[in-house]
Amino acid sequence: MATESIPVNLITADALLQNWQGHRRLTRKTIEAFPEDKLFHFSVGGMRTFGEMALELIGMAVPLVEGVSSGQWKAFEPGNPGTKNELLLLWDAQTAQLDEKFPKIPLARFWVVEKAFGEWEMPALAMIQYAIDNEIHHRGEGYVYLRALGIQPPPFWERD
Amino acid sequence: MATESIPVNLITADALLQNWQGHRRLTRKTIEAFPEDKLFHFSVGGMRTFGEMALELIGMAVPLVEGVSSGQWKAFEPGNPGTKNELLLLWDAQTAQLDEKFPKIPLARFWVVEKAFGEWEMPALAMIQYAIDNEIHHRGEGYVYLRALGIQPPPFWERD
């Protein structure tokens, strides 16, 4: 294919971070859209609540960046927040940490293949993309929960 | 930030296409997982059916690549397929066309800002990422439909 003979890269680390943070702003709005009594107590089809999914995302974001940077893989234990506000506080703390830690990833580390969190063996860059895709996926699930509750989700294209 | 002083790009056009096609294989499996009588006749919370969402994706994929390549923006009218098989035939035709047309996108075109489909004004590269993210989002919604039907969706990490 033409792109194999001209392997020009398209996306910078900073663009990847900005895309991720844009998605994280939309996920934050999605958390906010849930009524307090539904965030950890409502789902469809026997699935997890959106609060539980958000905790999965929180458990991976900063630890992923730290693992890619250092080769030390350690999940974050977010404890057991029971309110929307506690969840958003955890979220916002990670937003600042990502902005601080992501730009410090040594460039060569993006291509190193490791078993992330002892489970996912792939190049670090693919693992970061996987984490972003996983967030988009779960947020899409959250949109259905909101619609099932009669609540309009935030517009998908709003990332500010 | 460090990445602004070292703007090394990470992702090739080919890696972007391979990531997209991996997602498209998973979306295809998601379409296949729907019972024939539910694909165009079941949703949650008053939303669109997964068949309708799949048609939105089909309407954008190849036309997006053609628009990025040429500057000519023209949505694809997929007609009105009424069966899973008809939908999958449209899907598979696009898979082959994407493999053929994506590598021919002139590299400089990835950074050109145009109003895609007369509606979305952003650099072509961002528009392609948006289309992939939109597919992940809607597939996540489809997963909830499947769970609500008592059907286990395909594993999110399987892209083969």
Side-chain angles (χ1 to χ4, degrees):
Chain A
M1 284 189 290
T3 49
E4 287 179 347
S5 53
I6 312 170
V8 175
N9 290 314
L10 301 175
I11 299 172
T12 62
D14 186 56
L16 190 61
L17 172 62
Q18 298 315 322
N19 185 46
W20 192 3
Q21 292 283 37
H23 277 299
R24 293 184 74 261
R25 284 188 287 274
L26 181 56
T27 305
R28 192 188 194 284
K29 286 184 196 171
T30 307
I31 295 169
E32 282 187 298
F34 274 84
E36 182 72 49
D37 65 333
K38 298 288 189 264
L39 185 58
F40 290 100
H41 301 282
F42 176 83
S43 79
V44 174
M47 297 173 71
R48 288 179 294 169
T49 66
F50 193 63
E52 289 173 291
M53 293 179 188
L55 283 176
E56 175 190 299
L57 302 176
I58 288 171
M60 286 185 63
V62 170
L64 171 59
V65 170
E66 289 173 339
V68 169
S69 275
S70 68
Q72 305 295 313
W73 293 95
K74 197 176 161 191
F76 171 63
E77 287 299 335
N80 193 20
T83 67
K84 194 200 291 193
N85 197 47
E86 285 171 15
L87 188 64
L88 290 174
L89 284 173
L90 284 169
W91 192 267
D92 293 342
Q94 288 217 325
T95 301
Q97 284 191 55
L98 286 175
D99 277 339
E100 183 206 329
K101 294 181 177 180
F102 195 105
K104 293 179 184 158
I105 296 173
L107 277 167
R109 291 281 308 165
F110 280 104
W111 288 274
V112 174
V113 176
E114 283 181 346
K115 205 170 236 186
F117 303 113
E119 193 171 355
W120 310 94
E121 189 157 19
M122 60 181 90
L125 182 58
M127 187 64 209
I128 292 168
Q129 189 63 59
Y130 185 90
I132 299 171
D133 294 350
N134 184 56
E135 175 166 345
I136 300 168
H137 172 74
H138 285 317
R139 191 180 56 220
E141 295 177 331
Y143 271 44
V144 183
Y145 293 5
L146 287 173
R147 289 284 186 192
L149 290 165
I151 296 166
Q152 185 164 330
F156 181 68
W157 56 87
E158 276 189 19
R159 308 289 165 83
D160 55 351
Chain B
M1 284 190 291
T3 49
E4 286 179 349
S5 53
I6 311 169
V8 176
N9 291 314
L10 302 176
I11 299 171
T12 62
D14 185 57
L16 190 61
L17 172 62
Q18 298 316 321
N19 186 48
W20 191 5
Q21 292 283 37
H23 277 298
R24 292 185 74 261
R25 284 189 286 274
L26 180 57
T27 306
R28 191 188 194 283
K29 286 184 197 172
T30 307
I31 294 168
E32 282 187 297
F34 274 84
E36 182 72 50
D37 64 334
K38 298 289 189 265
L39 185 58
F40 290 100
H41 300 284
F42 176 83
S43 79
V44 174
M47 296 174 71
R48 289 179 294 170
T49 66
F50 193 64
E52 289 173 289
M53 292 179 188
L55 283 175
E56 175 191 298
L57 302 176
I58 288 171
M60 287 186 61
V62 170
L64 171 59
V65 169
E66 290 173 339
V68 169
S69 275
S70 68
Q72 305 294 314
W73 294 95
K74 198 176 161 191
F76 172 62
E77 288 298 335
N80 193 20
T83 67
K84 192 199 293 194
N85 197 47
E86 285 170 15
L87 188 63
L88 290 174
L89 284 173
L90 284 169
W91 193 268
D92 293 342
Q94 288 216 326
T95 301
Q97 283 191 57
L98 286 176
D99 277 339
E100 184 206 330
K101 295 181 177 181
F102 196 104
K104 294 180 183 157
I105 296 173
L107 277 167
R109 290 283 307 166
F110 280 103
W111 289 273
V112 173
V113 176
E114 283 181 346
K115 206 171 236 186
F117 303 113
E119 192 170 355
W120 310 94
E121 189 157 20
M122 58 181 93
L125 182 57
M127 187 63 208
I128 292 169
Q129 189 62 59
Y130 185 90
I132 299 171
D133 294 350
N134 184 56
E135 175 166 344
I136 300 168
H137 172 75
H138 285 317
R139 190 181 56 220
E141 295 176 331
Y143 271 45
V144 183
Y145 294 5
L146 286 173
R147 290 284 186 190
L149 290 166
I151 296 166
Q152 185 163 330
F156 180 68
W157 56 87
E158 275 189 19
R159 307 290 165 80
D160 54 351

